[in-house]
Amino acid sequence: MSARNKFITETFYVLTDSLIAELKRRNQCYECLNNRFDIFNTNLPISDLRSSADKLQKNYPEDLEDCFTEEFLQFSALIPQESMVCPMAMRQYIIARDLQKTFPNTETLLRMFLCMSVTNASGERSFSCLKRIKNERRTTMGQERLSALSLLAVESALVRQLDFDDIVDSFAKQKVRKVNL
């Protein structure tokens, strides 16, 4: 097998499959998030808005009080349509008019929603690790070593739990260059 074909099968295809799997997983997460927070869909009629608010209150009973549904309906009637386009604009509207105490549950919901997407970044971490490992000074590194270092960097939490004493002793015995005189 040529070096090119070996790279394609052992690295490129593996990374591509990993990337595709991560994108599918991320897409499922975003679809779930979109379904759970469909309350931010601006085209919902009042009856669907009410059922979405009830569903959210049941999903997050520790964060949203029982009065959340009525509070959100009042908020949606108060806010102008141009501020209802996205959750960030809705939160900015609340903050600009100092309505946090008037709509505390709505503001809590908006903060929860705006913080959720940040926690979905494991794919970027893998490629970020690869970028740190293979930088300008290490461009001559072999593919096998690069793959091994990438795996060690990505799985660093697991690597920290390993006991290296046995590995170092074994390596020292193999590489010993003592000559008995």
Side-chain angles (χ1 to χ4, degrees):
M1 183 181 277
S2 71
R4 176 183 165 81
N5 289 341
K6 187 175 179 180
F7 170 77
I8 288 172
T9 57
E10 292 180 5
T11 305
F12 180 73
Y13 288 155
V14 172
L15 285 175
T16 304
D17 288 343
S18 175
L19 181 63
I20 289 170
E22 181 64 29
L23 288 173
K24 284 181 180 177
R25 188 192 65 78
R26 181 175 299 186
N27 188 36
Q28 289 173 344
C29 289
Y30 284 132
E31 283 178 6
C32 178
L33 194 64
N34 191 34
N35 290 338
R36 182 172 288 173
F37 289 91
D38 63 347
I39 197 167
F40 297 126
N41 183 350
T42 58
N43 300 326
L44 287 178
I46 295 295
S47 60
D48 291 344
L49 198 62
R50 181 180 297 279
S51 65
S52 293
D54 287 337
K55 183 176 69 173
L56 274 171
Q57 198 281 322
K58 286 180 180 126
N59 283 333
Y60 300 103
E62 294 176 7
D63 300 311
L64 302 174
E65 297 171 2
D66 292 335
C67 62
F68 168 71
T69 302
E70 295 305 319
E71 179 183 312
F72 192 82
L73 289 173
Q74 290 176 3
F75 174 73
S76 62
L78 171 75
I79 190 170
Q81 273 309 111
E82 61 270 4
S83 295
M84 195 76 169
V85 293
C86 71
M88 181 60 92
M90 296 165 96
R91 185 150 193 281
Q92 288 172 344
Y93 182 86
I94 289 176
I95 291 170
R97 285 156 185 79
D98 199 26
L99 298 173
Q100 293 95 327
K101 291 182 181 173
T102 308
F103 301 108
N105 292 301
T106 302
E107 202 262 339
T108 300
L109 176 73
L110 289 167
R111 278 189 292 130
M112 285 172 32
F113 179 77
L114 292 170
C115 291
M116 281 188 180
S117 297
V118 175
T119 62
N120 192 5
S122 63
E124 285 89 352
R125 282 193 298 273
S126 299
F127 287 105
S128 178
C129 285
L130 185 62
K131 185 178 178 183
R132 283 194 304 266
I133 291 168
K134 184 152 176 114
N135 57 23
E136 304 83 36
R137 287 173 261 149
R138 296 186 181 132
T139 55
T140 59
M141 184 184 302
Q143 189 59 44
E144 187 176 327
R145 183 172 182 216
L146 177 65
S147 296
L149 286 173
S150 301
L151 185 61
L152 286 173
V154 170
E155 300 294 340
S156 62
L158 181 65
V159 172
R160 282 190 209 111
Q161 296 174 358
L162 295 176
D163 181 25
F164 288 104
D165 292 335
D166 295 334
I167 297 169
V168 170
D169 290 340
S170 173
F171 181 78
K173 287 177 186 174
Q174 289 176 357
K175 302 295 180 179
V176 68
R177 294 185 181 183
K178 280 186 184 178
V179 177
N180 291 330
L181 299 173

